[in-house]
Amino acid sequence: MSVATLTIEQVQAGLAARQFSAVELAQSALEFAQAENPKTNAYLHFCPERALASAERVDRKLAAGEDPGPLAGVPLAVKDVIVTKGVRTTCGSRLLERYIPPYDATAVVRLEQAGAVILGKTNCDEFAMGSSNENSAFGPVRNPVALDRVPGGSSGGSAAAVAQGTAVAALGSDTGGSVRQPASFCGVVGVTPSYGRVSRYGLVAFASSLDHIGPFGRTVRDTALLLETMAGRDECDATSAFAPVPRYSAQLDGKIAGLKLGLPREYFEGLSSESGDRIQQAITLLQKLGCEVRDISLPATKYAVPCYYIIATAEASSNLARYDGVRYTTRANADTLSDMYRTTRGEGFGAECKRRIMLGTYVLSHGYYDAYYLKAQKVRALIAEDFRRAFAAVDAIVAPVSPFAAFKIGEKVDDPLEMYLSDIYTITGDLAGIPCMSVPCGKTAEELPVGLQILARHFDETTMFRLADAFEKAGGCAGSN
Amino acid sequence: MKITEPEVRYVAGLANLQLTDSEIARLQKDMDEILTHMDALGELDTSAIEPMAQVLYQSEEATTLREDQPVPPLGSEVALANAPLSGSGYYKVPKVIER
């Protein structure tokens, strides 16, 4: 048994055949992860007691002949913006360095009920703000594929853990591409479900109208299993959807002939040639599998970056107002209440959080609200309308995830606007609230992974998973140079 | 110029953020560049467009309000466990009213 390459299916098969117990698997996964972690800094902390307790529950059920659940014994990493009762949750921020949540996120509860074994919490950009994982207060994550490069962000630790083999699967969060982009940089599968599909209860808020919890895995099927287990209405999140949750994993039959795929021309401008070649190859493969490909246009795409960074920063400035030194563990010394607020926040937040709080406060401030925030909400409607119109003619959209593959650590830290612009292909899906994912589609000449993005209609994750799974089974993930 | 240094200081005050002089200078440059980029939205005529505040989707009619049944609360001890300073079941903060 090698923890580093197991899939969920293999974990289930190994447990069923008594090749290993859940406790044995958890122990060896923890040992391996703790030994390997210094290479990448993917995990911020481990929770061995909780992991072993979960694994023991699985073993007891197996011994009693009970169903241990579809994720029985699966070693899982959870991004440190998702709260875990009694287990430190820092959001990658000094401000929450000692924060111990008094409750579990709904997604965590559902995955553990299904038998998942949480090994620890993964590094991320502070409060999920960033595209390279260089904004963590606890140091950057290194990409396991190339240690001098970023893993992407903000869920860089979760993507890196799955790629490095220190978790079988992981949870991340996506507000503007924070699951798909690191998945593409690290060569794993990453899924952003429809807005409302997964409860946000227990996901520390960044931009509430855009935040999603999404899974990472080594295979499409693994991510489908995770999503179907944690999705569905939750009373604790009023925006979680009532829509029934299909068993995605049971519908991966490889039959995708006849599906109509749209190629949005705006997503191929400004794409690096190497990544572009891999995407073109992927499209050729999908055509061979019987998909019908047509060019489409999503004309509002060029406005997506300004639109996103107005809405996301506005919501962030409001959501981060709560970190004022009163409730959450960290307080600066000050004589007056207002000095305490200002100093706690000034000392506690990192540069990127400050930049976004400032931008968000500015665009919401008196005299600018209509020009920025209201305008951006209207442009958001245009972006959503682009997709609605496109999906009248096609079943799914295929596109790149990022304009380029993983870049060097430090390469872009001094240019925030350039970093924001690199989110162009992923933020549109979040603005529209549609399901989207990244599936590996080969590597560049430097052996850096490239991701293919698949976007589908609201709540049609099924088509998205079926397409990605057929592509994976046809060898699309290996690509060719 | 989209934003001046006094404006940056004013916004930092609104956001309750204490910033150093070098942070102010850096933010003025960054915000100026980013806000200039955001001006692109002005090209679009959106006078007839309804703003989108939330992702809306078709769904069966459903009641989004749960039944109002009392459930055990967290309790003040648990809720205050992460407080930097608490006492008598409350959060404590520096004095705001002089006697």
Side-chain angles (χ1 to χ4, degrees), chain A residues 191-232:
Chain A
V191 176
T192 310
S194 305
Y195 183 82
R197 195 48 123 173
V198 176
S199 168
R200 289 180 294 112
Y201 184 67
L203 169 63
V204 175
F206 159 12
S208 305
S209 80
L210 296 159
D211 289 344
H212 308 68
I213 288 179
F216 290 93
R218 297 203 178 101
T219 64
V220 173
R221 186 177 181 278
D222 282 2
T223 56
L225 262 171
L226 284 172
L227 183 61
E228 71 195 32
T229 307
M230 63 181 164

Side-chain angles (χ1 to χ4, degrees), chain A residues 71-414:
Chain A
L71 301 176
V74 173
L76 188 76
V78 175
K79 184 180 183 182
D80 215 19
V81 293
I82 299 171
V83 301
T84 39
K85 187 175 178 177
V87 175
R88 198 146 51 99
T89 300
T90 67
C91 298
S93 179
R94 287 269 168 239
L95 273 173
L96 295 180
E97 205 168 3
R98 294 181 303 279
Y99 178 61
I100 312 280
Y103 67 105
D104 278 321
T106 298
V108 163
V109 170
R110 291 184 181 177
L111 295 178
E112 282 190 329
Q113 275 170 355
V117 173
I118 296 174
L119 300 181
K121 306 294 295 289
T122 48
N123 205 343
C124 55
D125 286 301
E126 186 176 8
F127 289 104
M129 296 177 185
S131 312
S132 67
N133 217 122
E134 290 164 291
N135 299 331
S136 167
F138 308 108
V141 174
R142 285 174 291 281
N143 191 323
V145 178
L147 292 170
D148 58 339
R149 292 180 185 265
V150 304
S154 65
S155 313
S158 292
V162 174
Q164 194 180 4
T166 54
V168 169
L171 286 191
S173 67
D174 193 314
T175 303
S178 285
V179 166
R180 286 158 289 156
Q181 187 251 23
S184 78
F185 280 15
C186 294
V188 299
V189 182
V191 176
T192 310
S194 305
Y195 183 82
R197 195 48 123 173
V198 176
S199 168
R200 289 180 294 112
Y201 184 67
L203 169 63
V204 175
F206 159 12
S208 305
S209 80
L210 296 159
D211 289 344
H212 308 68
I213 288 179
F216 290 93
R218 297 203 178 101
T219 64
V220 173
R221 186 177 181 278
D222 282 2
T223 56
L225 262 171
L226 284 172
L227 183 61
E228 71 195 32
T229 307
M230 63 181 164
R233 174 70 185 174
D234 172 22
E235 277 187 352
C236 296
D237 173 6
T239 62
S240 69
F242 287 90
V245 181
R247 274 198 63 205
Y248 309 117
S249 62
Q251 298 180 58
L252 308 178
D253 57 10
K255 291 178 190 151
I256 56 166
L259 277 184
K260 294 195 218 30
L261 308 182
L263 306 182
R265 76 173 67 98
E266 293 81 4
Y267 286 58
F268 292 84
E269 297 159 1
L271 180 61
S272 80
S273 60
E274 267 205 295
S275 296
D277 288 350
R278 295 285 85 77
I279 304 293
Q280 287 303 339
Q281 252 179 3
I283 293 163
T284 307
L285 177 61
L286 289 168
Q287 283 176 306
K288 273 189 203 150
L289 295 171
C291 293
E292 186 191 311
V293 169
R294 51 177 81 171
D295 287 323
I296 60 167
S297 175
L298 302 169
T301 303
K302 66 184 275 207
Y303 303 103
V305 170
C307 171
Y308 173 83
Y309 276 95
I310 291 168
I311 292 171
T313 59
E315 293 185 13
S317 73
S318 164
N319 276 325
L320 298 188
R322 74 192 68 181
Y323 305 107
D324 55 7
V326 176
R327 284 157 293 172
Y328 300 101
T329 67
T330 307
R331 172 183 297 186
N333 282 326
D335 292 333
T336 69
L337 187 62
S338 60
D339 275 353
M340 184 196 89
Y341 294 154
R342 282 196 279 268
T343 318
T344 300
R345 293 163 62 76
E347 289 175 0
F349 286 121
E352 183 59 31
C353 283
K354 286 179 181 165
R355 191 151 42 228
R356 296 201 193 189
I357 289 169
M358 289 291 288
L359 279 166
T361 306
Y362 178 83
V363 300
L364 290 177
S365 64
H366 182 71
Y368 294 108
Y369 182 89
D370 285 2
Y372 288 100
Y373 190 61
L374 192 65
K375 182 81 184 183
Q377 286 190 317
K378 291 179 170 187
V379 175
R380 183 177 184 180
L382 291 176
I383 290 166
E385 174 61 18
D386 272 2
F387 281 110
R388 201 195 57 75
R389 207 181 308 116
F391 284 123
V394 299
D395 300 306
I397 292 172
V398 290
V401 174
S402 166
F404 33 70
F407 47 89
K408 293 249 169 76
I409 292 174
E411 193 182 318
K412 294 188 200 293
V413 277
D414 287 330

